Amino acid sequence: MEYSKKDIKIELPEDVRFIIGKLGAAGHEAYAVGGCIRDSLLKRKPDDWDITTNALPREVKACFKRTVDTGIEHGTVTVILKDKKNGGLSGYEVTTYRIDGEYKDGRHPEGVTFTPSLREDLKRRDFTVNAMAYNDEAGLVDEFEGISDLNAKVIRCVGDPDERFDEDALRILRAVRFAAQLGFVIDKDTEAAILRHAENLKNVSKERIQTELTKLLCSANPYMIKDVKRLSMGPYICKGFENTDIESFCEAAKGLGLKAVSVKERHVRYGLLLAGADKKSARGFLRELKLDNDTINSASVLAENLLRPVKADRYEIKKLTQKIGRGLMGELLELKKKLFEGGVSSYMKACSESIEEVKYIYDDIEAHNEPIFLKELAVKGADLIALGENEGPRIGKTLSDMLEEVLKHPENNEKSYLINKFFL
Ligand code: ATP
Ligand code: MG
């Protein structure tokens, strides 16, 4: 599809029109800007709508009833609006036009200067496709050929790529992330500058790196992580990155036909990336990237088990479920089945299991609600205490003996039977 600047109309959400209108009525300029404009033009659903304005933060705050000082020193105020229909609250980041200083610590720009010029604000942005602004009155403001790069499906730095990567090396990884999300290629000059600056990524915080890597992995083209390696960023992602089997991951991503998913599914993507790694190194990798504990736990369980065969044996399947939990067991078997169906070679080599049979047995166990966890045992600790047992480790031992019995014979999950056999 071709985009021309003249007749471009973007359907702004009502809240965004309200914020722009309110700032306008107070004599300020305001535009929706960045990712939301890029995504609207691509007919993708924007994640969030950011607004840029010449109003200073205190002037923004004066226009609205409820605001939060999100990053007021960088010019960002979040405007909170109430949804008329359901009363829920939504936040919109409104940022004053600014010129960024250098990102000395690789985290935040040092010394932000506010500017009255929209062009200057667009100029500080990373890529041409991210540097467009829109409001209903002015139409599309595209000072750096963002539209033409959208048409050509190219990620290109605004201005001189060497300078832009010198200011903030995270942009190197962002280039690959956006290419993967949008299915674009990186412009030649931008790519050459990436190679010259890849090492600068070492000054960027792991949190920022992880945010971009997670978005890349959850994108429609996660196999484009091979560009992270090809463009020499590997050693600066985290210590274990160079040991990951990127080729196998890329093959799996294609074999599984992975689509874009919400970052809530990140554990699955990290699990696949680290498939075959032992638990300790998987956890080390995820911890270094400052992932949250839930993701560290679930991704490392998947990594450890994806290429480890599961015996088609009812008891063994229950023991594994006990160890990793029902939710993950379901996900693990589903993934294994897809790896099998996709004929993914790392899986085919490592797993001789009959995954269909394993899955059939697991589904049957679940369909019959067979007990697997202590909380599903017909006898509780309190029952034993009521029968005269003293509180202490013996209770735990008795209950776990009982659970072993019902794992093998679910029909015996019956209070009087178990108490007779194991207690009296
Ligand atoms: P997403 O859909 O992932 O949120 P996005 O384009 O909104 O994509 P953000 O990281 O939310 O990306 O940043 C919002 C906008 O701010 C970008 O579109 C870009 O204009 C600008 N921006 C963000 N980070 C940088 C950076 N490190 N250097 C320059 N500009 C940046
Ligand atoms: Mg965004």
Side-chain angles (χ1 to χ4, degrees), residues 35 38 124-126 130 168 171 174 177 208 215:
R38 175 199 71 222
R124 70 157 169 105
R125 293 171 188 272
D126 45 8
N130 288 347
D168 178 15
R171 293 170 187 158
R174 281 171 65 86
R177 184 267 271 201
R208 292 183 81 211
K215 288 185 177 180

Side-chain angles (χ1 to χ4, degrees), residues 74-302:
H74 301 115
T76 304
V77 168
T78 300
V79 172
I80 311 285
L81 297 180
K82 207 171 184 172
D83 191 306
K84 285 192 199 82
K85 282 189 209 117
N86 62 21
L89 300 178
S90 305
Y92 297 87
E93 288 197 353
V94 180
T95 304
T96 306
Y97 297 164
R98 64 177 212 219
I99 301 168
D100 289 348
E102 214 174 304
Y103 285 60
K104 287 231 173 70
D105 63 351
R107 268 170 220 263
H108 300 296
E110 200 104 328
V112 162
T113 318
F114 298 138
T115 165
S117 154
L118 172 62
R119 185 186 155 85
E120 285 299 316
D121 181 82
L122 296 175
K123 204 168 133 191
R124 70 157 169 105
R125 293 171 188 272
D126 45 8
F127 305 110
T128 59
V129 295
N130 288 347
M132 291 181 277
Y134 176 92
N135 69 24
D136 287 329
E137 214 176 300
L140 188 80
V141 181
D142 175 20
E143 297 268 326
F144 303 99
E145 299 185 34
I147 285 279
S148 119
D149 285 338
L150 269 192
N151 280 327
K153 297 182 181 289
V154 167
I155 299 297
R156 181 199 315 273
C157 283
V158 175
D160 178 48
D162 285 297
E163 280 174 23
R164 305 319 307 282
F165 294 145
D166 256 341
E167 289 162 359
D168 178 15
L170 184 71
R171 293 170 187 158
I172 291 167
L173 183 56
R174 281 171 65 86
V176 180
R177 184 267 271 201
F178 285 116
Q181 278 184 327
L182 306 173
F184 282 21
V185 296
I186 300 174
D187 158 72
K188 273 208 185 63
D189 292 343
T190 297
E191 189 168 299
I194 287 181
L195 280 165
R196 286 191 289 273
H197 288 81
E199 202 186 332
N200 295 11
L201 261 183
K202 68 172 188 277
N203 304 322
V204 176
S205 74
K206 292 294 184 228
E207 288 89 342
R208 292 183 81 211
I209 288 183
Q210 187 257 106
T211 305
E212 298 302 325
L213 192 69
T214 299
K215 288 185 177 180
L216 195 173
L217 286 173
C218 292
S219 75
N221 302 294
Y223 66 87
M224 279 175 81
I225 196 170
K226 68 179 185 321
D227 281 0
V228 170
K229 194 172 173 159
R230 181 176 65 84
L231 297 171
S232 313
M233 296 173 219
Y236 317 108
I237 298 294
C238 65
K239 285 194 199 89
F241 189 86
E242 295 289 85
N243 299 329
T244 53
D245 186 348
I246 298 285
E247 248 118 74
S248 292
F249 172 75
C250 293
E251 196 210 332
K254 286 193 173 153
L256 292 173
L258 295 182
K259 307 233 160 61
V261 287
S262 142
V263 293
K264 288 189 196 121
E265 300 289 314
R266 60 189 171 270
H267 65 289
V268 174
R269 301 293 166 100
Y270 280 106
L272 283 165
L273 177 65
L274 298 168
D278 62 80
K279 200 167 185 168
K280 190 159 167 260
S281 43
R283 291 182 73 85
F285 180 108
L286 299 161
R287 206 177 302 122
E288 193 185 346
L289 283 177
K290 314 269 185 213
L291 279 145
D292 59 290
N293 284 337
D294 272 357
T295 307
I296 295 177
N297 291 335
S298 47
S300 59
V301 163
L302 290 178

Side-chain angles (χ1 to χ4, degrees), residues 35 47-48 50 215:
D47 263 354
D48 41 30
D50 295 328
K215 288 185 177 180

Side-chain angles (χ1 to χ4, degrees), residues 296-316:
I296 295 177
N297 291 335
S298 47
S300 59
V301 163
L302 290 178
E304 195 192 6
N305 288 288
L306 273 168
L307 304 185
R308 183 184 275 179
V310 181
K311 235 165 117 189
D313 172 276
R314 222 173 170 84
Y315 175 77
E316 297 282 334

